[in-house]
């Protein structure tokens, strides 16, 4: 009888060990890093926003993608597969297991840190201002817009609507537009004096448009508002600490040897203006201390 009981306990223990092992092999926790290395492929979520991450002629491109590609290669994972998603669905998609990592230059902020674990910051970016050629209203800041009574066209729902109000711009000075091209059209036609958006988004959009009637304000004064500048980073499922830590380890090496700065510059960023200061950490930004 004792032998039967002992054999039953032993068999039950084996079942528990196998069950635990199968959970880890599913890609959760420490098993995710081993799984990706074994496959040699990582699936990344992106939102098609140039120059951070976008698809062109069937190829995945952008600063965030190139940085992630370089990091994963150092980790022994050579193939990047992209999955396009709406920006607002990236974190839900990550948590639903649709992709392994988000590589979209997503800004770290305390709210997002509640739902995903970010790697260390890879890039820094602020806001940008587009005006008519020659900058006839002499606009170099949001406060200039407020004080001059100039009008500004801003994409509906964009955070810049609140940023300009914070700096004193009144509702009557703000025009709503459906997208970036519509804001450019408003400025070019004279219906608005300026438009604003994320620095690299509006800068690259202007370059792509070939519009010589508008210009990017190079000496734009970044507003002193919580959340500016933003720090973009890869984001991981909260169960995948080992994967994130391994990513951070290789990312630190590529920052130190200048590879990350080279990638930023190759994608239209400035190493001087868009590289992350050494004292900025994801922990500090998530806690709100550096946000």
């Amino acid at each position: 009888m004792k032998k039967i009981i002992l054999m039953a306990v032993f068999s039950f223990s084996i079942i528990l060990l196998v069950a635990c092992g199968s959970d880890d092999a599913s890609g959760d926790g420490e098993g995710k890093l081993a799984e990706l290395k074994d496959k040699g492929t990582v699936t990344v979520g992106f939102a098609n926003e140039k120059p951070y991450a976008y698809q062109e002629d069937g190829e995945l491109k952008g600063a965030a993608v190139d940085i992630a590609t370089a990091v994963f290669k150092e980790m022994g994972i050579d193939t990047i597969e992209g999955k396009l998603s709406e920006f607002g669905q990236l974190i839900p998609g990550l948590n639903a297991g649709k992709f392994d990592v988000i590589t979209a230059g997503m800004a770290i902020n305390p709210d997002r840190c509640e739902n995903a674990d970010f790697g260390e910051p890879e890039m820094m970016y602020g806001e940008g201002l587009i005006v008519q050629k020659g900058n006839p209203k002499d606009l170099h800041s949001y406060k200039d817009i407020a004080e001059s009574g100039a009008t500004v066209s801003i994409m509906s729902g964009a955070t810049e609507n609140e940023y300009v109000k914070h700096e004193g711009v009144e509702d009557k000075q703000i025009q709503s537009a459906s997208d970036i091209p519509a804001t450019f059209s408003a400025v070019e036609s004279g219906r608005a004096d300026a438009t604003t958006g994320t620095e690299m988004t509006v800068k690259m959009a202007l370059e792509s448009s070939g519009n010589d009637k508008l210009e990017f304000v190079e000496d734009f004064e970044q507003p002193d508002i919580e959340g500016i500048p933003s720090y973009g980073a890869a984001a991981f499922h909260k169960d995948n600490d080992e994967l994130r830590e391994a990513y951070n380890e290789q990312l630190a090496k590529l920052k130190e040897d200048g590879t990350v700065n080279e990638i930023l510059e190759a994608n239209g960023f400035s190493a001087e203006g868009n590289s992350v200061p050494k004292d900025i950490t994801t922990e500090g930004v998530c806690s709100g201390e550096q946000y």
Side-chain angles (χ1 to χ4, degrees):
M1 185 68 178
K2 287 182 179 180
K3 287 183 179 180
I4 294 174
I5 294 173
L6 286 172
M7 288 178 67
V9 171
F10 179 75
S11 298
F12 183 69
S13 298
I14 293 295
I15 291 170
L16 285 176
L17 287 172
V18 171
C20 291
S22 65
D23 283 346
D24 192 51
S26 69
D28 294 333
E30 295 181 356
K32 175 60 75 172
L33 177 58
E35 175 194 325
L36 296 182
K37 284 187 173 182
D38 184 56
K39 291 193 305 182
T41 300
V42 59
T43 301
V44 301
F46 71 104
N48 219 27
E49 183 179 3
K50 194 173 183 178
Y52 306 99
Y54 60 101
Q55 202 163 33
E56 188 173 82
D57 299 326
E59 184 179 354
L60 194 56
K61 299 180 178 181
V65 171
D66 290 349
I67 290 171
T69 299
V71 172
F72 281 117
K73 185 174 182 179
E74 293 297 317
M75 294 167 60
I77 303 168
D78 294 329
T79 304
I80 300 283
E81 290 185 353
K83 278 194 176 181
L84 178 62
S85 174
E86 292 182 9
F87 191 85
Q89 293 303 309
L90 284 172
I91 290 180
L94 175 70
N95 290 329
K98 292 183 178 179
F99 23 82
D100 305 310
V101 187
I102 295 170
T103 55
M106 179 178 282
I108 306 166
N109 68 41
D111 288 339
R112 290 174 180 157
C113 293
E114 293 291 324
N115 297 295
D117 281 348
F118 286 86
E120 289 303 317
E122 301 172 358
M123 62 187 74
M124 178 178 74
Y125 50 84
E127 299 302 303
L129 192 67
I130 302 289
V131 296
Q132 288 185 345
K133 193 75 172 180
N135 198 357
K137 293 281 187 176
D138 197 28
L139 304 174
H140 303 274
S141 68
Y142 291 156
K143 288 183 178 178
D144 284 346
I145 296 174
E147 293 169 1
S148 67
T151 53
V152 57
S153 177
I154 305 177
M155 188 167 59
S156 178
T159 54
E160 286 75 20
N161 285 283
E162 297 307 315
Y163 290 163
V164 297
K165 291 178 185 178
H166 183 279
E167 297 296 276
V169 177
E170 297 181 10
D171 287 336
K172 65 182 180 181
Q173 294 176 257
I174 302 171
Q175 298 177 8
S176 183
S178 58
D179 52 29
I180 295 295
T183 68
F184 284 4
S185 177
V187 179
E188 182 180 351
S189 67
R191 288 181 283 112
D193 299 307
T195 183
T196 184
T198 302
E199 175 188 8
M200 292 306 298
T201 298
V202 295
K203 185 175 185 179
M204 297 296 287
L206 181 59
E207 291 176 359
S208 298
S209 73
N211 191 323
D212 60 1
K213 296 181 180 180
L214 304 177
E215 70 177 57
F216 178 81
V217 179
E218 295 289 351
D219 60 349
F220 175 71
E221 181 182 332
Q222 295 292 331
D224 185 14
I225 300 175
E226 186 177 274
I228 302 175
S230 299
Y231 301 100
F236 301 80
H237 192 285
K238 280 186 169 292
D239 288 341
N240 293 336
D241 289 347
E242 188 187 34
L243 175 61
R244 175 176 49 79
E245 289 166 5
Y247 185 96
N248 281 340
E249 181 180 350
Q250 298 304 325
L251 174 64
K253 294 177 182 178
L254 296 182
K255 283 183 176 181
E256 188 65 30
D257 69 14
T259 299
V260 169
N261 280 348
E262 290 175 4
I263 291 172
L264 289 173
E265 290 183 330
N267 284 277
F269 291 83
S270 157
E272 180 181 354
N274 300 109
S275 59
V276 180
K278 290 185 178 181
D279 63 334
I280 299 296
T281 66
T282 293
E283 182 180 3
V285 180
C286 282
S287 68
E289 293 177 7
Q290 296 175 327
Y291 185 66

